[in-house]
Amino acid sequence: MSTFKYIANFVEGFKSNDWNLKTSEGVDFPTRKTEYYKYTSLKKLSTQRFASISSKVDARKVFEGLDDYATVLVFVNGFFDASQSKGLTDQVSVVSKLDSCPAFLTSQKNVDQLFTSMNNRFATDGLVIDLKGVLKQEVLVLNILDASGMASFTKNSIRLDKNAQCSVVYKTISTGQNLEQFSNNYFEIELSDNAILWFYNLQNGTKALNLIEQVESHLSAGANLHYFCISKAGKLVRNNINNKITAPSAEVNLYGIMLGEQGSHIDHHTLVDHDTPHTQSNEIYKIINKEASTSVFNGKVLVRPDAQKTNAYQSSSAILLDDASNVYAKPELEIYADDVKCSHGSTTGQIDKEALFYLQARGLSKTTAKKMLIEAFLTEVTDLIESEKAGVLTSQMIQEYFS
Amino acid sequence: MLEIKNLQAQIEDKQILKGLNLEVKPGEVHAIMGPNGAGKSTLASVLSGREGYEVTGGSATFDGKDLLDLDPEERAREGLFLAFQYPVEIPGVNNTTFLKTAVNEIREYKGLDPMPAKDFLKLLKEKQALVELSSDLAKRSVNEGFSGGEKKRNEIFQMAMLEPKLGILDETDSGLDIDALRIVANGVNKLKSKDNAFIVITHYQRLLDYIVPDFVHVLHDGKIIKTGDKNLALELEEKGYDWIKAEKV
């Protein structure tokens, strides 16, 4: 494996073939002309040199309530920190020095994507859950990013055996306010028959964070994925959440909240591939934008010819708090079966002025009233968070958004 | 308490209020009646600070303060309450949480500590009983899925909770059946004291059978053109508005 050293500019780095991606894997650098990156320009990435930097951070100082978790895995700049982690077992562990595990690396799908290829090449450590049975304790994973110009790559794998269940809280934290950083994380999720996974992805970026994540999930019969992701701030945040259902009665639930501020660019791309009859998917995304920020929701539902009786639901709604902010919402339904129920809805608007006045007329300040209305707008998603701890952490991020 | 002098207001360049005068003292109930388009709801909107209305002249003082210079929430905190003609449905905002926030923001404005949770719940129960609002409704999202009557009762319930100095009821009787009307009126009558006052805006005399006004004003073309006692309302019910308009001309 080669270590990610630096490159002054992502585009140039790619073109100069320092990363050896182009020739070996046939990757192309996406531009705005690439449909998949139509609303998200990668030019934002190009202003800073990034390098792999190891660092020491006291996890307790950046995350309150660490002791409430029995199982904690701490990664700092993409490197596993054993001294601050606890509760590891043969079922919940880490893979270190990925270069010694070629099989693990090459199992990645979608290597035609730039960032998965980069991850493939540069990933250092990662979380590995290989679970049988029900894990009652919630697993906390901290992705701590420290130092300016830092680039980190992790590759994570969650495999649940038949009837296994677990809940993971994954939180990204930047230590400094304006440190330009690049974090790239890949998640492979494999759910066997009737397995259930709750995954809470909490992306608490600062305005200089570049965060690119990819989820590839595969569901067997009766399996259930609950994937929740909240993104706050970040210079460039891109989530690709790809799901494939290949056996009946499986269900994919994707819930997201995007809180754009300070010129951030947040993009959630989802794909649910229904490849078998009698499966279900639900997607609900809530978007708030202020301070000249931009959000993108692109949700694709693919119903293949054999996937009769598919039930797919998708909705995205956005509130723009100022004129300088933008939202791009693009639902894509590709349906090749004829006996299916698929629906999608997308709305973009402002705060309901009449409701705002109603609350003010009862003595609430405009700020309190606005906050109350926005929280109400988000409840459709926040109500679906089953983990109490993830609920509290989400609520903290929403409070921070208002302060 | 409330002094309105020569108030003029417009909405999108259309003059609605054309020099309105009204004085309300503590302990009084004023009814404002008038035909459609006379400016009744505009008056309520201007007093409560709704956006989109431009005051072009005159003044309104509330306990000596320039009412028109205050934000809507400051007016509410000073003790002005508008019972909406069309209460807004706000999904996701819990009725009780909302009221607790309102009560405490008003208390903070007055320099008081937040109301202890126990006291708040006691008050909530007491006032629910006053307007015969089921505790089930009080726990739901604000007005969401409420019937017309329930929404209006919820308005009076909120008024009871916030104990304003001046309550403005903007056509609270519209869309109410007899039973709901009685409940709403009872609520207002129980809240009435020598220290507070009410302005009841209505089309019909019927509500005034239950809430007996000290003064009845007829609003026409942006001005109060006649003031009388409760008998004026009965006369209006019988003869309509045309005779006053004719008298005026």
Side-chain angles (χ1 to χ4, degrees):
Chain A
M1 186 189 92
S2 49
T3 310
F4 188 81
K5 283 209 179 72
Y6 73 85
I7 203 75
N9 176 315
F10 263 76
V11 184
E12 280 167 22
F14 178 79
K15 281 183 186 156
S16 68
N17 219 10
D18 274 9
W19 299 334
N20 196 26
L21 296 174
K22 210 172 180 178
T23 49
S24 65
E25 284 153 15
V27 183
D28 215 351
F29 195 89
T31 66
R32 291 291 282 270
K33 285 180 194 153
T34 314
E35 186 64 23
Y36 202 49
Y37 282 89
K38 191 173 176 186
Y39 304 110
T40 298
S41 168
L42 297 176
K43 279 185 191 155
K44 283 196 165 202
L45 280 172
S46 62
T47 55
Q48 168 89 36
R49 286 167 181 248
F50 294 109
S52 181
I53 300 170
S54 61
S55 184
K56 263 282 179 198
V57 177
D58 186 350
R60 274 190 177 72
K61 284 199 175 139
V62 294
F63 185 85
E64 274 178 48
L66 200 72
D67 298 326
D68 299 342
Y69 296 83
T71 308
V72 179
L73 290 96
V74 177
F75 293 85
V76 180
N77 294 357
F79 298 100
F80 179 63
D81 185 342
S83 66
Q84 299 198 76
S85 302
K86 62 177 178 180
L88 274 69
T89 62
D90 56 347
Q91 298 198 85
V92 179
S93 61
V94 289
V95 56
S96 279
K97 299 191 181 63
L98 279 161
D99 48 343
S100 61
C101 315
F104 190 75
L105 271 174
T106 51
S107 70
Q108 269 177 0
K109 297 156 197 145
N110 281 331
V111 282
D112 57 325
Q113 294 297 326
L114 170 68
F115 295 108
T116 39
S117 309
M118 284 178 71
N119 189 280
N120 209 5
R121 184 160 304 276
F122 301 117
T124 45
D125 300 348
L127 154 81
V128 177
I129 294 179
D130 211 336
L131 185 71
K132 288 182 169 59
V134 175
L135 190 66
K136 291 213 173 77
Q137 305 281 8
E138 203 146 47
V139 176
L140 172 71
V141 184
L142 295 180
N143 176 38
I144 300 171
L145 310 173
D146 188 47
S148 190
M150 184 285 308
S152 82
F153 299 83
T154 69
K155 182 180 188 299
N156 310 280
S157 162
I158 300 174
R159 290 167 191 270
L160 302 193
D161 204 31
K162 280 179 187 170
N163 303 312
Q165 294 182 14
C166 82
S167 175
V168 177
V169 176
Y170 186 96
K171 176 145 182 161
T172 292
I173 304 166
S174 291
T175 53
Q177 263 311 303
N178 296 309
L179 308 179
E180 181 122 3
Q181 300 169 327
F182 178 81
S183 175
N184 176 240
N185 307 297
Y186 181 93
F187 301 89
E188 187 178 87
I189 296 172
E190 183 76 40
L191 304 184
S192 303
D193 293 0
N194 302 314
I196 307 175
L197 173 69
W198 290 267
F199 193 96
Y200 301 99
N201 194 351
L202 314 170
Q203 303 175 331
N204 205 3
T206 64
K207 65 178 181 185
L209 173 67
N210 302 285
L211 181 65
I212 313 268
E213 294 196 344
Q214 179 120 359
V215 173
E216 293 289 338
S217 86
H218 174 235
L219 282 78
S220 298
N224 229 305
L225 171 65
H226 299 266
Y227 177 86
F228 167 75
C229 183
I230 176 169
S231 313
K232 181 177 160 287
K235 186 179 182 188
L236 176 68
V237 176
R238 169 72 180 231
N239 290 285
N240 298 322
I241 306 145
N242 298 331
N243 308 273
K244 193 168 175 75
I245 308 177
T246 53
S249 303
E251 193 179 312
V252 168
N253 300 288
L254 308 176
Y255 309 125
I257 293 176
M258 299 180 220
L259 303 174
E261 59 185 346
Q262 300 182 315
S264 64
H265 185 105
I266 300 172
D267 179 349
H268 285 227
H269 260 65
T270 69
L271 166 66
V272 183
D273 181 350
H274 294 265
D275 194 16
T276 190
H278 294 283
T279 63
Q280 191 164 331
S281 63
N282 302 300
E283 294 178 65
I284 306 176
Y285 280 79
K286 296 276 180 175
I287 303 160
I288 314 272
N289 280 101
K290 64 177 180 186
E291 299 161 354
S293 58
T294 301
S295 292
V296 180
F297 171 72
N298 189 119
K300 183 169 175 177
V301 174
L302 172 60
V303 181
R304 292 185 190 266
D306 291 339
Q308 300 295 358
K309 306 284 181 192
T310 290
N311 200 343
Y313 171 80
Q314 182 189 95
S315 97
S316 71
S317 33
I319 289 182
L320 293 171
L321 295 176
D322 58 44
D323 290 344
S325 294
N326 292 295
V327 168
Y328 299 94
K330 188 175 163 205
E332 289 180 77
L333 300 183
E334 225 175 281
I335 301 169
Y336 300 101
D338 53 13
D339 185 13
V340 298
K341 264 207 300 210
C342 295
S343 61
H344 69 85
S346 175
T347 61
T348 301
Q350 293 168 323
I351 284 209
D352 180 351
K353 279 189 180 155
E354 191 59 24
L356 190 65
F357 174 65
Y358 189 83
L359 296 179
Q360 282 181 275
R362 298 296 176 254
L364 274 65
S365 71
K366 201 169 190 174
T367 313
T368 309
K370 260 190 186 173
K371 193 175 147 193
M372 203 174 247
L373 291 173
I374 289 172
E375 281 174 329
F377 169 74
L378 298 176
T379 49
E380 197 188 346
V381 168
T382 52
D383 280 356
L384 294 166
I385 298 174
E386 288 177 56
S387 153
E388 200 185 323
K389 289 187 182 111
V392 170
L393 292 169
T394 300
S395 162
Q396 279 171 6
M397 285 175 69
I398 296 169
Q399 296 308 316
E400 280 168 27
Y401 184 69
F402 292 115
S403 60
Chain B
M1 177 185 283
L2 178 69
E3 250 183 289
I4 304 173
K5 283 183 187 157
N6 191 31
L7 185 63
Q8 296 157 50
Q10 63 181 31
I11 178 165
E12 286 168 4
D13 294 335
K14 195 180 171 219
Q15 197 72 29
I16 310 279
L17 298 182
K18 300 174 179 172
L20 187 142
N21 295 292
L22 178 67
E23 190 181 355
V24 179
K25 294 196 177 94
E28 293 177 349
V29 175
H30 290 247
I32 295 181
M33 302 182 75
N36 289 326
K40 301 190 298 295
S41 285
T42 298
L43 176 62
S45 295
V46 169
L47 291 180
S48 57
R50 189 191 291 272
E51 262 183 46
Y53 294 84
E54 193 194 341
V55 175
T56 50
S59 68
T61 54
F62 185 55
D63 276 344
K65 286 191 175 134
D66 180 2
L67 190 66
L68 304 174
D69 193 37
L70 301 176
D71 288 333
E73 62 267 33
E74 290 171 324
R75 300 180 196 205
R77 292 167 188 176
E78 287 289 340
L80 186 125
F81 183 95
L82 171 68
F84 280 58
Q85 184 179 2
Y86 305 107
V88 188
E89 294 195 19
I90 314 180
V93 173
N94 175 277
N95 232 338
T96 309
T97 313
F98 151 58
L99 270 175
K100 196 172 181 178
T101 312
V103 164
N104 285 332
E105 291 221 353
I106 292 171
R107 285 178 69 92
E108 194 188 333
Y109 183 77
K110 291 177 177 166
L112 299 169
D113 287 334
M115 188 181 280
K118 218 173 129 190
D119 296 358
F120 177 79
L121 285 175
K122 200 178 149 220
L123 188 70
L124 202 71
K125 278 197 176 149
E126 191 187 307
K127 303 298 186 185
Q128 268 168 23
L130 189 79
V131 291
E132 300 172 38
L133 192 76
S134 74
S135 56
D136 178 46
L137 285 183
K139 279 179 201 150
R140 292 213 322 236
S141 288
V142 179
N143 294 323
E144 194 189 23
F146 285 29
S147 71
E150 284 166 346
K151 282 181 187 168
K152 296 297 175 74
R153 262 191 278 165
N154 196 22
E155 292 295 289
I156 305 303
F157 166 59
Q158 291 174 21
M159 185 164 78
M161 286 295 294
L162 302 179
E163 295 175 331
K165 283 189 261 183
L166 175 66
I168 303 171
L169 277 61
D170 188 8
E171 298 197 22
T172 298
D173 52 340
S174 67
L176 288 189
D177 60 36
I178 296 291
D179 289 333
L181 190 72
R182 184 185 48 77
I183 292 168
V184 163
N186 273 347
V188 173
N189 287 331
K190 282 181 198 159
L191 294 174
K192 227 169 84 175
S193 77
K194 63 175 175 36
D195 300 318
N196 62 20
F198 293 92
I199 296 174
V200 180
I201 295 171
T202 181
H203 267 294
Y204 306 105
Q205 186 271 334
R206 199 177 60 175
L207 178 67
L208 305 177
D209 281 342
Y210 297 96
I211 305 173
V212 182
D214 301 299
F215 300 94
V216 173
H217 308 278
V218 177
L219 185 62
H220 172 63
D221 196 23
K223 282 180 186 175
I224 286 173
I225 55 167
K226 193 172 180 71
T227 296
D229 60 12
K230 62 181 179 184
N231 293 318
L232 177 59
L234 292 168
E235 207 173 342
L236 288 169
E237 183 79 2
E238 198 184 314
K239 298 188 194 164
Y241 292 108
D242 286 346
W243 64 277
I244 301 179
K245 290 186 207 166
E247 197 176 72
K248 191 75 189 165
V249 175

